[in-house]
Amino acid sequence: MTIPNGDAAAGRDGDFGLLSPVSASPRVAALTGDRAVLAAILRVEAGWAAVLEEASLAPAGSAALVAEAADVGRYDIASIAVRAQGGANPVIPLLADLRKQVTALDTAGIGAGRAVHTSLTSQDVLDSALMLLAAGTVGELLTDVKRTTAALAALAERHQQTLCVGRSLTQHSLPFSFGLKAAQWFHGLAAAARRLEALELPVQTGGAAGTLAAGTVLTEGSALAPLDLADRLAARLGLAAAPAPWHTNRLAVTALGDALAAVTDAAGKIAADVLFLSRPEVAELAEPRAAGRGGSSAMPQKQNPVLSVLVRSAALQAPALAAQLHLAAANFNDERADGAWHSEWPALRSLLRLGLGAAGQLRELAEGLQVFPSAMRRNLDLSGPLLLSEAVTAAVGPLLGADGPRRLQDVVDQTLQAPAAEQPSTYRKLLRAAVPAELLSDERLEELLDPANYLGQAAEISRRILAAWPDFAAALPPHIEPNQATEENGAHRG
């Protein structure tokens, strides 16, 4: 078998995401693919050259030459990937190529090569580059999340009085509102996104062993110290300044991984609910339709909820990837790790890819989610007045004396002996027989058995949730009209 080399082979035989459809998109590839990684590395090297020249620690004019040489299109990514095996990271072969490019461009012989990588180590560059990669990806991810939360906030407000059934351990529990369900979806996603948004992504400049020894030599006679240069690089790259090198203190990486996993956790919760509620026998929700989406290879009638399936697939993968980052962090031995650092890269990039991919799928799901209040009411009525047994016991038990709660529990127990379809009418009949009319009028009994009267603080809880995250509940852009297939609200109360 002949194995082709070079970027052409990578384009033809590379990884396009066939086995990861949740993240198989041009946007995800552009922000997290090998080209993006290489571009980030080159941006760090060009930024460092600019810092050195600005501090008069590199020849005048060298930064411009390094910046010109740092065009990712000049480099054979596939070749660099293969050659990375020789040094166990991609920075080493890239530096060899970058220095050749700079030398070729330095026709005036100013010695611009002295600005390339001086006093840095490979980990400085790759750690900083991965933080850059993360910054761009997280920015896009949060844009999608905020559109999603805006759509969820609109659902919460629109369906504040839409009755549905709450479910506990798979069973009907109490009357609920779909508005509160949407508000809780919003709550989980907004809280996770705020945590991700608050992260600081630091620059890395520690030198060969984290002591900045080479930087100290470099800055002898300069008014600037090595950490001053590090701060200037951070500002130039848009990263956070670090108080010290963090070669083996990996909180920056694990915190990023945890925050990404938290976002996919919240997204996965929404997806799991939609998957259940869109089953034909439940039919309370449906995903937005789109040409060519949701079909089956064997069953023409099927309309699969693929947006939720893809989001859930990301949520099921992310925790293990975050755990891998922690496993690596706990094994960063010595002052530079032998393998633990290397195991971070694919895990972190996979988390970024999954998070961004899932955020895009979830945004489309939330903005187009179809809601069917009549089906919600139908399912609520399956349990009928039994759902109000808690309310009945609280209101009627004291009227029956000390053994009131026991007598009412007997009513429930007897009701549950009847066939499921007959339980609502059986409960109502047995309850009426157990409670004399002089203690409880028919009118008061009907009030107790109206699920709309037993929503507790659902509306207030929803209001407080949305008020707690105002920037995530912002009004939708004018062109977005979520829930276009939602039924009218007139029949919500059944």
Side-chain angles (χ1 to χ4, degrees), residues 157-176:
E157 292 175 346
R158 177 175 300 182
H159 293 282
Q160 185 179 100
Q161 299 300 321
T162 300
L163 288 174
C164 63
V165 64
R167 296 173 173 91
S168 173
L169 278 70
T170 76
Q171 303 300 297
H172 286 194
S173 57
L174 292 176
F176 210 74

Side-chain angles (χ1 to χ4, degrees), residues 413-437:
D413 293 341
Q414 291 177 54
T415 299
L416 295 176
Q417 300 304 311
E422 299 175 12
Q423 288 177 5
S425 61
T426 300
Y427 179 72
R428 188 182 296 270
K429 177 181 177 181
L430 292 174
L431 182 61
R432 180 70 283 178
V435 185

Side-chain angles (χ1 to χ4, degrees), residues 44-81:
V44 174
E45 292 288 359
W48 185 245
V51 166
L52 294 183
E53 182 179 332
E54 184 181 56
S56 300
L57 297 174
S62 57
L65 293 178
V66 175
E68 183 179 354
D71 177 1
V72 70
R74 292 174 173 269
Y75 299 91
D76 184 336
I77 301 173
S79 170
I80 291 170

Side-chain angles (χ1 to χ4, degrees), residues 78-254:
S79 170
I80 291 170
V82 171
R83 287 184 287 140
Q85 297 179 39
N89 76 71
V91 176
I92 295 171
L94 175 60
L95 276 174
D97 294 352
L98 176 60
R99 287 185 170 113
K100 288 179 182 178
Q101 292 282 346
V102 171
T103 298
L105 291 169
D106 187 9
T107 55
I110 64 172
R114 297 201 299 274
V116 177
H117 201 70
T118 300
S119 82
L120 297 180
T121 193
S122 299
Q123 188 171 351
D124 293 336
V125 175
L126 191 52
D127 278 350
S128 298
L130 289 176
M131 292 296 105
L132 273 180
L133 193 81
T137 305
V138 167
E140 285 290 309
L141 186 157
L142 288 172
T143 297
D144 276 342
V145 165
K146 288 187 176 182
R147 284 184 59 178
T148 299
T149 54
L152 294 177
L155 281 171
E157 292 175 346
R158 177 175 300 182
H159 293 282
Q160 185 179 100
Q161 299 300 321
T162 300
L163 288 174
C164 63
V165 64
R167 296 173 173 91
S168 173
L169 278 70
T170 76
Q171 303 300 297
H172 286 194
S173 57
L174 292 176
F176 210 74
S177 76
F178 182 66
L180 180 54
K181 182 179 285 288
Q184 290 289 14
W185 289 346
F186 168 94
H187 188 192
L189 190 60
R194 175 60 56 78
R195 179 179 172 189
L196 180 61
E197 189 177 48
L199 285 180
E200 289 192 341
L201 303 176
V203 76
Q204 176 78 280
T205 54
T211 64
L212 292 167
T216 302
V217 173
L218 176 67
T219 56
E220 284 181 1
S222 170
L224 297 173
L227 287 171
D228 296 326
L229 302 182
D231 292 346
R232 290 190 175 193
L233 179 63
R236 183 173 289 274
L237 296 178
L239 296 176
W246 46 279
H247 286 161
T248 56
N249 299 319
R250 308 306 290 176
L251 182 60
V253 176
T254 56

